[in-house]
Amino acid sequence: MAQIIDGKSIAAKARSEVKAEVLKFISTGGPRPKLAVVLAGDDPASQVYVRNKERGCAEVGMASEVRRLPASTRQRDLIDIVRQLNADKGVHGILVQLPLPTGLNEREALDEVDPRKDVDGLHPLNMGKLLKGDDSGFVPCTPQGVIEIILSTGIDLAGKAAVVVGRSNLVGKPMALLLLQNNATVTICHSRTVNLGEVTKRADILVAAVGSPRIIHGEMIKQGAVVVDVGTNRVGDKLVGDVDFDSAEERAAFITPVPGGVGPMTIALLLRNTLKAAALLAAKKA
Ligand code: NAP
């Protein structure tokens, strides 16, 4: 029976560390770090995520601002808002909440964010830095949180077979790069992968980031693996992961639950990235 990884308590510890660092930063003359979120449209899940981000900021002593835009917003108005936030010296981190409503160009909006304020790590400069192993940039929060969750088990990633299911810019690709940086031997699976279960069964570390309820089940998992479930899928009134928890729990050594696994860590890492942005911007001014 697997040990369940308590993402909530790992995240609570990470948030209290950020809180202490924010206090220290402000007491030594730094500005109060501020996160700005651009929220276009009325996607109910995005509304909840953004509220949690605002709450997270307040909890660690950071300021936040949400620019709410109607779904009918034109591309050039969205870009104008991002540019205003880039120019605003009181804003240190900018996050464009995804997905954007149909008709808005996601890539153009993300590319417009000042890379020094790109706390979601989705600007090409920051993605390039991650690829090169340059840690002066920003790394997407979810995969960064997953690495910390895996390391919390005490497992050394060096030489382990890691399989990432999903290849999005937000999760799968940066996840694979971070696992590689930690010296795992990495395989990336996607919708065209043939015999998915044959590949996942070889994984010592399995990260599922698909967005398909319970697509990974017990017989696709190696005995003793670490299984991290990034998926958050609404099925009826329940939130379920990409992993079928009950059958996976029988095979894995460690497993994250949904909810209460990866989600809370994503916000903790966003707060850490915002503090890093504020500190780097302040150091530049000094
Ligand atoms: P995404 O952009 O839709 O990417 C999904 C990936 O899964 C794609 O690469 C896709 O392959 C692959 N895929 C789809 N069907 C597959 C199949 N049958 N077999 C193997 N691979 C398949 O989604 P995302 O943004 O990466 O998010 C993934 C999940 O994580 C979602 O449930 C999302 O809600 C969740 N998420 C959670 C957090 C958190 O904080 N907990 C944060 C971000 C995302 P192709 O590239 O070939 O299409």
Side-chain angles (χ1 to χ4, degrees), residues 75 78 96 98-100 104-111 122:
Q75 183 72 15
L78 172 66
V96 177
L98 302 177
L100 287 172
L104 289 174
N105 184 326
E106 196 170 289
R107 199 185 71 193
E108 203 181 273
L110 295 174
D111 289 3
L122 294 174

Side-chain angles (χ1 to χ4, degrees), residues 237-258:
D237 59 356
K238 272 187 78 181
L239 211 56
V240 302
D242 291 341
V243 177
D244 176 50
F245 188 86
D246 292 342
S247 60
E249 196 190 15
E250 300 289 325
R251 314 268 297 220
F254 293 93
I255 188 167
T256 59
V258 176

